[in-house]
Amino acid sequence: RAKAELGSAVRFFQEEMDAQVRERAHLESELRRAVTKGDIAVHYQPQVDLANGELTGFEALARWNHIEWGDIPPERFIPVAEECGLIVELGRNVLFQACTDAATWSGGETVSVNVSPVQLHSVDFAQTVEGILLETGLAPNRLELEITENTLVRDLQAAQVALSGLREKGVRIALDDFGTGYSSLYHLRNFKVDRIKIDRSFVEAMDTEAESAAIVRALLGLGHGLGVKVTAEGVEDAAQRQALIRQGCDDAQGFYFSAAMTVEDARALSLAQSRSLVDETYDP
Ligand code: C2E
Ligand code: MG
Ligand code: MG
Ligand code: MG
């Protein structure tokens, strides 16, 4: 009897596993198709200078709208793309799209592009980036590459080789989701970056949790001590914005300012912002 029950439990488990494997394979083949057909769109989330509220840049974020399944969040499809190697092509497409779009922004904003460890450690990463900059005509100092600490953990030397040449040409490097990866401080000593981005989880909890508030303060001190800019991610309300301004945080991103938008909206925002600046300068 117990044996029969165990047998059916094992069978059930096996069926579950099979279903998961099939679903995963289906997702992967649909993703492959979407990447090949150019169905992965790029949306842009504004980044603002906290001191004066000015738009300084946009973060490029991959968007996949599946005809049957609807919107699939990047947190679901990026890991799949990384596991099956598709991320190299997907990442290149996002980079190309982002640089092409940024070249049309009249305000000269920067574009920040997320780079996966797999992509960074693929052969010719630096040449690919240089080629895209040449082809799109975007000035290197308007491109910022966002990497996570885990990219550095994987192979610090390889990351250094891939990124130092680009950095010499003016491309900026940001450490994304800072504080959530491994051995952040060790890497900050050995790896030159232009910016750190405080992870949303700390910003989210800073007004309710003393620990998070202390971590935000410490990260700001650390960044500024190292002479790098600090961006806060995931700013959702005025109180968070105020606290960050008080503490001297440089830039911010979050739903309080805006969610990611289409390229048309980003272009319009850039135009409106550069116009209002011109107006302020030239209006009598
Ligand atoms: P990330 O690079 O840390 O991007 C910020 C994420 O936080 C975005 O989610 C953004 O929409 C979300 N966000 C921004 N402001 C707020 C806020 O105020 N509140 C909350 N709750 N969320 C906010 P998204 O677009 O879903 O992307 C998730 C992650 O997927 C990204 O995190 C990034 O790690 C990855 N990702 C997205 N696009 C790409 C890509 O083209 N390449 C790679 N390698 N990864 C990407
Ligand atoms: Mg990012
Ligand atoms: Mg982030
Ligand atoms: Mg994140």
Side-chain angles (χ1 to χ4, degrees):
R1 169 104 213 265
K3 207 171 165 189
E5 269 174 26
L6 181 66
S8 85
V10 166
R11 247 184 333 271
F12 176 73
F13 178 72
Q14 192 59 52
E15 280 162 18
E16 279 289 287
M17 291 290 286
D18 290 348
Q20 273 180 31
V21 168
R22 272 197 306 275
E23 192 192 306
R24 166 54 212 252
H26 192 186
L27 183 66
E28 188 180 313
S29 73
E30 287 297 294
L31 181 61
R32 190 174 301 279
R33 205 154 65 131
V35 170
T36 311
K37 281 174 48 198
D39 277 353
I40 307 292
V42 184
H43 282 199
Y44 297 96
Q45 185 177 37
Q47 302 171 323
V48 302
D49 181 333
L50 278 168
N52 55 22
E54 269 175 31
L55 177 70
T56 59
F58 291 94
E59 176 171 3
L61 295 162
R63 292 289 177 264
W64 182 20
N65 182 272
H66 187 275
I67 190 142
E68 264 172 63
W69 301 334
D71 283 327
I72 302 164
E75 256 118 21
R76 178 117 170 79
F77 70 80
I78 295 288
V80 174
E82 285 174 332
E83 277 166 44
C84 67
L86 259 178
I87 191 71
V88 176
E89 187 178 348
L90 192 163
R92 198 196 313 118
N93 294 350
V94 169
L95 193 63
F96 184 82
Q97 195 61 54
C99 292
T100 303
D101 290 341
T104 70
W105 297 337
S106 40
E109 292 84 2
T110 56
V111 67
S112 307
V113 181
N114 294 287
V115 176
S116 144
V118 183
Q119 203 187 343
L120 184 81
H121 294 298
S122 70
V123 283
D124 294 349
F125 174 75
Q127 278 110 304
T128 301
V129 176
E130 282 175 37
I132 288 174
L133 286 170
L134 278 178
E135 199 177 337
T136 60
L138 186 73
N141 65 4
R142 290 187 53 206
L143 174 65
E144 181 170 81
L145 300 176
E146 294 195 2
I147 61 173
T148 61
E149 296 152 76
N150 299 340
T151 307
L152 304 180
V153 169
R154 192 165 151 152
D155 186 345
L156 182 62
Q157 241 186 325
Q160 232 144 10
V161 170
L163 293 176
S164 63
L166 289 172
R167 202 164 175 271
E168 272 163 32
K169 296 198 166 61
V171 174
R172 303 180 201 187
I173 311 296
L175 268 182
D176 201 3
D177 303 341
F178 193 73
T180 62
Y182 301 105
S183 52
S184 350
L185 301 180
Y186 173 79
H187 289 114
L188 276 181
R189 192 182 62 180
N190 291 286
F191 192 82
K192 286 251 174 308
V193 299
D194 302 280
R195 177 183 298 280
I196 61 180
K197 298 185 78 175
I198 302 179
D199 190 66
R200 181 172 93 219
S201 57
F202 301 117
V203 175
E204 188 176 36
M206 66 188 265
D207 37 9
T208 55
E209 210 186 82
E211 291 82 359
S212 288
I215 290 171
V216 170
R217 270 198 306 279
L219 291 179
L220 281 163
L222 178 65
H224 290 155
L226 291 167
V228 313
K229 294 245 182 193
V230 182
T231 296
E233 295 190 303
V235 176
E236 292 188 352
D237 59 47
Q240 290 166 349
R241 169 175 166 266
Q242 251 348 97
L244 289 162
I245 290 174
R246 238 186 354 259
Q247 291 171 34
C249 186
D250 302 286
D251 301 296
Q253 222 179 301
F255 296 163
Y256 177 74
F257 304 101
S258 171
M261 54 180 75
T262 62
V263 59
E264 290 81 15
D265 288 347
R267 199 178 296 135
L269 186 63
S270 169
L271 184 65
Q273 169 107 5
S274 50
R275 271 211 190 116
S276 77
L277 287 180
V278 169
D279 286 347
E280 268 167 44
T281 318
Y282 294 107
D283 257 20

